């Protein structure tokens, strides 16, 4: 099973994903957690954040998840995920795919902006920022939509909601 958390920077993917991973690991010890930002580092930081680099990275993450899935490993993947074709590939390829969209309005993301990413993009200091100069296509068919950390609850509450849905599936 692959649980795929989608959302823009600051939506809470890492916060919800790490908590979900810990909760799932109790009943499924073979569970691993993959974070899109950390995987970029693992692969040596050889890709930029332009659309071409992002698409290569998306393919790498999806193929890694497919390999782990074939080995019976449960994966919680926290990924920005802006390519609908990879989301469709995931749904067709994985033995079980559960897509969660952390839907947080841009104004809230910009208020949070712990990395200073949106501020820097708005000031013209960085380019290729999703939500500013790269569009973020909303997932077409998520299995669960969460309104992100805040409106729907804390990261623990949101992770619990995902866990209930995943284990009920």
């Amino acid at each position: 099973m692959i649980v795929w958390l989608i959302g823009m920077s600051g939506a809470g993917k890492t916060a919800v994903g790490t908590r979900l991973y810990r909760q799932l690991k109790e009943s499924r010890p073979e569970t691993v957690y993959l974070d899109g930002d950390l995987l970029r580092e693992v692969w040596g930081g050889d890709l930029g954040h332009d659309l071409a680099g992002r698409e290569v990275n998306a393919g790498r993450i999806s193929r890694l998840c497919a390999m782990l899935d074939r080995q019976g490993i449960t994966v919680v993947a926290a990924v920005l995920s802006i390519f609908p074709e990879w989301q469709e590939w995931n749904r067709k390829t994985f033995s079980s795919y559960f897509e969660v969209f952390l839907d947080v309005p841009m104004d809230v993301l910009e208020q949070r902006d712990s990395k200073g990413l949106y501020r820097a993009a708005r000031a013209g200091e960085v380019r290729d920022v999703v939500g500013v100069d790269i569009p973020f296509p909303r997932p077409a068919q998520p299995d669960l939509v969460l309104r992100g950390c805040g409106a729907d609850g804390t990261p623990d509450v949101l992770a619990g909601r995902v866990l209930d849905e995943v284990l009920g599936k």
Side-chain angles (χ1 to χ4, degrees):
M1 166 175 277
I2 309 299
V3 181
W4 194 268
L5 303 174
I6 298 174
M8 292 200 307
S9 181
K13 297 180 304 294
T14 299
V16 173
T18 54
R19 285 159 177 86
L20 176 61
Y21 160 74
R22 285 194 295 268
Q23 292 174 14
L24 258 177
K25 192 127 177 109
E26 291 176 13
S27 62
R28 297 177 181 217
E30 74 291 349
T31 301
V32 298
Y33 173 73
L34 300 177
D35 184 283
D37 290 338
L38 297 176
L39 285 173
R40 280 181 167 275
E41 292 176 27
V42 167
W43 288 316
D46 62 335
L47 300 172
H49 286 85
D50 60 348
L51 278 175
R54 287 178 183 278
E55 185 156 20
V56 169
N57 198 51
R60 286 176 176 177
I61 294 168
S62 288
R63 287 188 296 272
L64 174 60
C65 286
M67 181 191 78
L68 294 169
D69 185 44
R70 284 190 301 270
Q71 295 177 44
I73 296 171
T74 299
V75 178
V76 174
V79 188
L80 197 127
S81 202
I82 62 170
F83 298 99
E85 57 274 18
W86 278 110
Q87 293 161 13
E88 184 178 328
W89 186 89
N90 293 349
R91 199 169 290 282
K92 289 178 182 174
T93 304
F94 303 151
S95 65
S96 179
Y97 177 67
F98 192 84
E99 189 176 283
V100 180
F101 174 36
L102 284 104
D103 186 10
V104 179
M106 191 65 184
D107 62 320
V108 173
L109 296 173
E110 290 190 87
Q111 288 170 7
R112 290 179 185 168
D113 203 11
S114 61
K115 299 176 188 175
L117 185 64
Y118 297 119
R119 181 201 49 76
R122 298 277 185 218
E125 298 166 5
V126 296
R127 297 184 50 205
D128 298 323
V129 174
V130 174
V132 178
D133 52 359
I134 293 178
F136 177 80
R138 297 174 65 83
Q141 52 182 322
D143 298 293
L144 179 63
V145 177
L146 301 174
R147 300 293 170 217
C149 302
D152 280 358
T154 66
D156 288 315
V157 168
L158 296 177
R161 285 189 54 201
V162 176
L163 184 67
D164 289 345
E165 291 286 330
V166 166
L167 295 180
K169 187 175 181 189

